[in-house]
Amino acid sequence: MQVLILGSAAGGGFPQWNSDAPGCRRARAGDPAALPRTQAGLAISADGNQWILLNASPDLREQLNRTPKLHPRDGMRSSPIAAVVLSGGDVDAIAGLLTLRERHAFTLLATPRVHGFLDANPIFDVLGRDIVARQALEPNAPATAYGCTLELFAVPGKVPLFLEEAGTMPTIQVDETTVGVLVSDGRHRLFYIPGCAAMTNELASRLNGADMVFFDGTLWRDDEMVAAKLGSKTGRRMGHMSLSGPDGTLAAFQSITVRRKIIIHMNNSNPVLLADSPERAEAEAAGWIIAEDGMEFSL
């Protein structure tokens, strides 16, 4: 199984277009310790010919153009993209679908509820239903596609921001709104979980023994955006567990055996983005790889 990191940052990318935070300034200045990143997504293939995208970020066009393995190669109009799998309905997971509107046949896989989000917004009908098949995957029901077995499973999360009701506090829930993705080629197991609000016993058991896990790295500290005056929301409010702290990702994975652990979906405020930060050193000492755009792996 071949794995390409198309993008590794959270919504807004790094540097974020309207952020003047220190890390963003360093990235704009070309500091090699602050590498720019586009919004998160992966491409996976069992044979090197047909590729499955995990999420379609707003940066998808740029990501495809800079990735030779995903360039057209069979005629004047073609693409090796065979399918797109969605882990949720947030803008940074679905907006790139609009980039794929030029009459290329592929399969769009998501839970019934996420398909409902798309069906309710007619702009996504630019993906002609006569050529783009919309396939609903129920959680915990594996499906075979393009040499891989795909399975979606619920993780703690919340509804997309654009579906929150004004004046209400969204609750963290475990349902098909936010899911992780398991991809297997029969020998190896890879998990993609770019959004997760908490580690549960069930999730820890599922991940144990995996060959590769890409996991939500949105924030280092729950209150880091508030403390830096970059926003008013904590990580918990946004549906993301933090990397640090007793309830954080680094602590949670101390009892989970994974061959390769990769932090992805990092917010522009997260100091782990900076190669010379103590937070980066702490994460790497705990055995984590910090995702960068363009990284490639083989399983």
Side-chain angles (χ1 to χ4, degrees):
M1 197 158 43
Q2 298 180 48
V3 185
L4 309 177
I5 298 181
L6 300 180
S8 51
F14 181 67
Q16 183 172 299
W17 66 278
N18 65 342
S19 174
D20 195 36
C24 290
R25 290 200 299 270
R26 290 177 62 179
R28 289 191 188 98
D31 187 333
L35 293 178
R37 289 166 165 83
T38 58
Q39 294 165 91
L42 301 184
I44 293 176
S45 178
D47 61 8
N49 293 314
Q50 293 181 305
W51 288 83
I52 300 169
L53 304 187
L54 304 188
N55 287 347
S57 89
D59 297 317
L60 185 58
R61 179 180 178 277
E62 174 187 349
Q63 293 165 348
L64 297 181
N65 282 336
R66 71 185 185 195
T67 307
K69 290 181 180 179
L70 301 180
H71 289 176
R73 54 175 178 253
D74 296 317
M76 293 298 291
R77 275 206 176 186
S78 66
S79 172
I81 296 171
V84 180
V85 181
L86 302 178
S87 68
D90 290 295
V91 169
D92 57 353
I94 66 174
L97 292 173
L98 302 178
T99 295
L100 304 178
R101 66 188 183 273
E102 280 83 15
R103 303 292 295 172
H104 170 65
F106 64 93
T107 304
L108 179 58
L109 302 108
T111 65
R113 188 168 192 201
V114 171
H115 273 301
F117 299 157
L118 301 180
D119 292 343
N121 191 331
I123 194 171
F124 289 102
D125 286 338
V126 296
L127 300 174
R129 293 173 185 261
D130 61 326
I131 195 167
V132 175
R134 298 193 184 190
Q135 181 177 344
L137 292 184
E138 295 287 349
N140 307 312
T144 300
Y146 310 106
C148 296
T149 298
L150 304 171
E151 183 179 348
L152 306 182
F153 55 93
V155 300
K158 69 172 189 64
V159 297
L161 177 63
F162 62 88
L163 291 176
E164 291 183 9
E165 296 183 14
T168 63
M169 179 69 72
T171 58
I172 300 301
Q173 51 202 9
V174 183
D175 61 19
E176 63 179 68
T177 304
T178 305
V179 298
V181 184
L182 166 61
V183 184
S184 173
D185 62 358
R187 297 175 299 161
H188 306 101
R189 293 190 307 143
L190 175 149
F191 289 90
Y192 182 61
I193 309 174
C196 185
M199 180 61 69
T200 64
N201 291 335
E202 180 182 356
L203 179 57
S205 178
R206 185 187 289 270
L207 297 178
N208 197 53
D211 296 282
M212 183 173 289
V213 173
F214 290 85
F215 201 82
D216 183 355
T218 305
L219 300 177
W220 181 259
R221 287 174 44 196
D222 185 61
D223 65 347
E224 74 183 45
M225 291 181 63
V226 178
K229 297 182 172 53
L230 295 172
S232 60
K233 295 179 181 178
T234 64
R236 292 186 183 90
R237 169 64 179 81
M238 296 187 293
H240 297 284
M241 62 189 294
S242 300
L243 290 170
S244 66
D247 298 321
T249 299
L250 300 192
F253 272 82
Q254 287 179 354
S255 58
I256 303 172
T257 300
V258 175
R259 187 158 68 91
R260 280 187 281 192
K261 305 176 294 187
I262 302 163
I263 294 170
I264 201 163
H265 196 270
M266 294 162 283
N267 191 63
N268 71 93
S269 61
N270 193 335
V272 81
L273 286 165
L274 306 175
D276 54 3
S277 70
E279 292 84 358
R280 168 73 74 91
E282 182 177 343
E284 291 179 336
W288 286 88
I289 297 169
I290 311 304
E292 297 177 6
D293 293 18
M295 278 183 169
E296 299 188 19
F297 301 91
S298 294
L299 292 175

